[in-house]
Coordinates of all heavy atoms in Angstrom, one line a residue:
A1 N 16.6 -25.4 49.9 CA 15.2 -25.7 49.5 C 15.1 -27.1 49.0 O 14.1 -27.8 49.1 CB 14.8 -24.7 48.5
T2 N 16.1 -27.6 48.3 CA 16.1 -28.9 47.7 C 16.2 -30.0 48.7 O 15.6 -31.1 48.6 CB 17.2 -29.0 46.6 OG1 17.0 -28.0 45.7 CG2 17.1 -30.3 45.9
F3 N 17.0 -29.7 49.7 CA 17.3 -30.7 50.8 C 16.8 -30.1 52.1 O 17.7 -29.8 53.0 CB 18.8 -31.1 50.8 CG 19.3 -31.7 49.5 CD1 20.1 -30.9 48.7 CD2 19.0 -33.0 49.2 CE1 20.5 -31.4 47.5 CE2 19.4 -33.5 48.0 CZ 20.2 -32.7 47.1
P4 N 15.5 -30.0 52.4 CA 15.1 -29.3 53.6 C 15.4 -30.1 54.9 O 15.3 -29.5 55.9 CB 13.6 -29.2 53.4 CG 13.2 -30.3 52.4 CD 14.4 -30.4 51.5
D5 N 15.7 -31.4 54.8 CA 16.0 -32.2 56.0 C 17.4 -31.9 56.5 O 17.7 -32.2 57.6 CB 15.9 -33.7 55.7 CG 14.4 -34.1 55.4 OD1 13.5 -33.3 55.7 OD2 14.2 -35.2 54.8
L6 N 18.2 -31.2 55.7 CA 19.6 -30.9 56.1 C 19.6 -29.5 56.7 O 18.9 -28.6 56.3 CB 20.5 -30.9 54.9 CG 20.7 -32.3 54.2 CD1 21.6 -32.1 53.0 CD2 21.3 -33.3 55.2
P7 N 20.4 -29.3 57.7 CA 20.4 -28.0 58.3 C 21.0 -26.9 57.3 O 22.0 -27.2 56.6 CB 21.4 -28.1 59.5 CG 21.8 -29.6 59.6 CD 21.2 -30.3 58.4
A8 N 20.4 -25.8 57.3 CA 20.8 -24.7 56.3 C 22.3 -24.3 56.6 O 23.0 -23.9 55.6 CB 19.9 -23.5 56.5
S9 N 22.7 -24.4 57.8 CA 24.1 -24.1 58.1 C 25.1 -25.0 57.5 O 26.3 -24.7 57.4 CB 24.3 -24.0 59.6 OG 24.1 -25.3 60.2
L10 N 24.7 -26.1 57.0 CA 25.6 -27.1 56.4 C 26.0 -26.8 55.0 O 27.1 -27.2 54.5 CB 24.8 -28.5 56.3 CG 25.6 -29.7 55.7 CD1 26.6 -30.1 56.7 CD2 24.6 -30.8 55.5
F11 N 25.3 -25.9 54.3 CA 25.6 -25.7 52.8 C 26.8 -24.9 52.6 O 27.6 -25.2 51.7 CB 24.3 -25.2 52.2 CG 23.2 -26.2 52.1 CD1 22.3 -26.3 53.1 CD2 23.2 -27.1 51.0 CE1 21.3 -27.3 53.0 CE2 22.3 -28.1 51.0 CZ 21.3 -28.2 52.0
E12 N 27.0 -23.8 53.4 CA 28.2 -23.0 53.1 C 29.5 -23.8 53.3 O 30.4 -23.7 52.5 CB 28.2 -21.7 54.0 CG 29.3 -20.8 53.6 CD 29.2 -19.5 54.4 OE1 28.2 -19.2 55.0 OE2 30.3 -18.8 54.5
P13 N 29.7 -24.5 54.4 CA 30.9 -25.2 54.6 C 31.1 -26.4 53.7 O 32.3 -26.9 53.6 CB 30.9 -25.6 56.1 CG 29.5 -25.5 56.5 CD 28.8 -24.6 55.6
T14 N 30.1 -26.8 53.0 CA 30.3 -28.0 52.1 C 30.2 -27.6 50.6 O 30.1 -28.4 49.8 CB 29.2 -29.0 52.4 OG1 27.9 -28.4 52.2 CG2 29.3 -29.6 53.8
T15 N 30.4 -26.3 50.4 CA 30.3 -25.8 49.0 C 31.4 -26.4 48.1 O 31.2 -26.8 47.0 CB 30.4 -24.2 49.0 OG1 29.3 -23.7 49.7 CG2 30.4 -23.7 47.6
A16 N 32.6 -26.4 48.7 CA 33.8 -27.0 47.9 C 33.5 -28.5 47.6 O 33.8 -29.0 46.5 CB 35.1 -26.8 48.6
M17 N 33.0 -29.2 48.6 CA 32.7 -30.6 48.4 C 31.7 -30.8 47.3 O 31.8 -31.7 46.4 CB 32.3 -31.3 49.7 CG 31.9 -32.8 49.6 SD 30.9 -33.4 50.9 CE 29.4 -32.6 50.6
A18 N 30.6 -30.0 47.4 CA 29.5 -30.1 46.4 C 30.1 -29.8 45.0 O 29.7 -30.5 44.0 CB 28.4 -29.2 46.7
A19 N 30.9 -28.8 44.9 CA 31.5 -28.4 43.6 C 32.4 -29.6 43.1 O 32.4 -29.9 41.9 CB 32.3 -27.2 43.7
N20 N 33.1 -30.2 43.9 CA 34.0 -31.4 43.5 C 33.1 -32.5 43.0 O 33.4 -33.1 42.0 CB 34.8 -31.8 44.7 CG 35.8 -32.9 44.3 OD1 36.6 -32.7 43.4 ND2 35.8 -34.0 45.1
Q21 N 32.0 -32.8 43.7 CA 31.1 -33.8 43.2 C 30.5 -33.4 41.8 O 30.2 -34.2 40.9 CB 30.0 -34.1 44.2 CG 30.5 -34.8 45.4 CD 29.4 -34.9 46.5 OE1 28.3 -34.4 46.4 NE2 29.7 -35.8 47.4
G22 N 30.2 -32.1 41.7 CA 29.7 -31.5 40.4 C 30.7 -31.8 39.3 O 30.3 -32.1 38.2
I23 N 32.0 -31.6 39.6 CA 33.0 -31.8 38.5 C 32.9 -33.3 38.1 O 33.0 -33.6 36.9 CB 34.4 -31.4 39.0 CG1 34.4 -29.9 39.2 CG2 35.4 -31.9 38.0 CD1 34.2 -29.1 37.9
Y24 N 32.8 -34.2 39.1 CA 32.7 -35.7 38.7 C 31.5 -35.9 37.8 O 31.6 -36.6 36.8 CB 32.6 -36.5 40.0 CG 33.9 -36.8 40.6 CD1 34.3 -36.0 41.8 CD2 34.8 -37.7 40.1 CE1 35.5 -36.3 42.4 CE2 36.0 -38.0 40.7 CZ 36.4 -37.2 41.8 OH 37.6 -37.5 42.4
N25 N 30.4 -35.3 38.1 CA 29.2 -35.5 37.3 C 29.4 -34.9 36.0 O 28.9 -35.4 35.0 CB 28.0 -34.9 38.1 CG 27.5 -35.9 39.1 OD1 26.8 -36.9 38.8 ND2 27.8 -35.6 40.4
L26 N 30.1 -33.8 35.9 CA 30.4 -33.1 34.6 C 31.2 -34.1 33.7 O 31.0 -34.2 32.5 CB 31.1 -31.8 34.8 CG 31.3 -31.0 33.6 CD1 30.0 -30.6 32.9 CD2 32.1 -29.7 34.0

């Protein structure tokens, strides 16, 4: 919902990458 321009199928396989970026931001 936040990134509607990205395909919805992209979010599940990139979960670990997003979490890694989240740790950097933390």
